Amino acid sequence: MSQSAATSPVAASTAERSAPGTLTLTGAVSFVTRLVLGGLFVWAAWNKLQPPNGPQNFADSVRAFKLGLPDWAVRASTSVTPWIEVIAGAMLILGIWVRSSALVIGVLLAVFIALIGSVIARELNVECGCFGKLSPFCPKKVGMCNIIQNGVMLAGAVYLTITPKTGLFSKS
Amino acid sequence: MIQNSAQIARKGLLARYIVQIAVIVGLGTVIGSADAIIRPVKLARTVEEFSLPTEGARPEVTSGTVASDRTRAGADEPKPEAMTDADSAGSSASKSSAEGPVAAAGQSGGGTGGFQFTPKDRLKPGHITIEEARRAFDSGQASFVDARSKSRYEEGHIPGAIRLELADFVAGQPAKLALLPREFMVIVYCGGGDCDESERVAERLEGSGYQRIFIIHDGFPGWKAAGHEVETGPEEFE
């Protein structure tokens, strides 16, 4: 129980474990997770959208996965996916609609993991294209590292989805 | 009553999340669709019927110093008879140059090692047979592009071929394009079979302004199996 003299007796009997303005652990973890996950997704999406060849490079990556998609589906996934990533990532960073944004990102990550698993199972030698032309954390060729990378991000998205909205600082 | 209120509150919350998700996905879809119209991606290249350019001397590709360990297998041997791919599927190549120092793997036992050449009527649009590639090579008005990795290239490639991978186009037009005359047809190849790197490079070449682009369907393995000249060693113009 806080030592602060600022709380009234009524507030003290019914309320909070920490004094107003104290950094909460849950709030801090959520804050950092939001920034990191949202930042990674905005950065990944930017690399896929960046002129002059971002969209074409991403389309080539999608086709290299040999999913048997018709042309319209390749175009749709190539153009729409990065923009959903940008919007959801930006919302996470700004703390807007956190659970919904995290859920959208979580679904995207689950799909990416399934696709990468499919590529590995079929022993295809392809580049991930996860961050456009960059591969900051894993080798360019798709492998288990990409699954682990996406798995870690998925854990963050799940955490943000199921954790109740908590501010960075406790409120009075 | 309290339970109903809680259920109503939960349903309200669920509806709110559904609307939020729909807005995020919907907004991404709308903006993405507009982006696709403004910046369409190219998924297929324009293909035309293969026809030989007029006969002429094969251009020498000018470059700096020649790599000292470059070897040119079969260069001094009489050129072998062109294969008729349509009737050679499953049969040996029976090249008269089998006794020459052509790449050994393609000439084992005096044949192609059972290489299955793809007949003309089974080719995809924009793809050519080994025989057509050979005729283009002899005409002297075709540039060859090897879309394979550096190590594969160095193990053996079509003489004079320039190596260009998809990765070379990621940051924009590669400098090596200056070595490809735009008035010549461009013939791209990779490993044949399921290899589609040549298709990707061909698309990028078309995006760079090249027009008559063809792909050797059976790739370098087919060229080698047919007993044609093969160069080994690193690229002169890396």
Side-chain angles (χ1 to χ4, degrees), chain B residues 178-207:
Chain B
L179 300 169
L180 291 178
R182 286 182 189 268
E183 63 273 18
F184 287 176
M185 68 165 55
V186 180
I187 296 181
V188 189
Y189 67 90
C190 60
D194 288 336
C195 173
D196 60 356
E197 288 296 305
S198 49
E199 196 69 57
R200 302 288 89 79
V201 169
E203 287 164 5
R204 293 309 182 94
L205 285 169
E206 188 178 75

Side-chain angles (χ1 to χ4, degrees), chain A residues 48-82:
Chain A
K48 291 170 192 157
L49 294 170
Q50 193 179 19
N53 291 328
Q56 187 65 57
N57 292 340
F58 186 47
D60 289 339
S61 296
V62 171
R63 285 196 295 165
F65 273 54
K66 291 190 164 76
L67 301 171
L69 295 176
D71 281 358
W72 69 264
V74 174
R75 287 183 207 282
S77 56
T78 299
S79 56
V80 168
T81 305

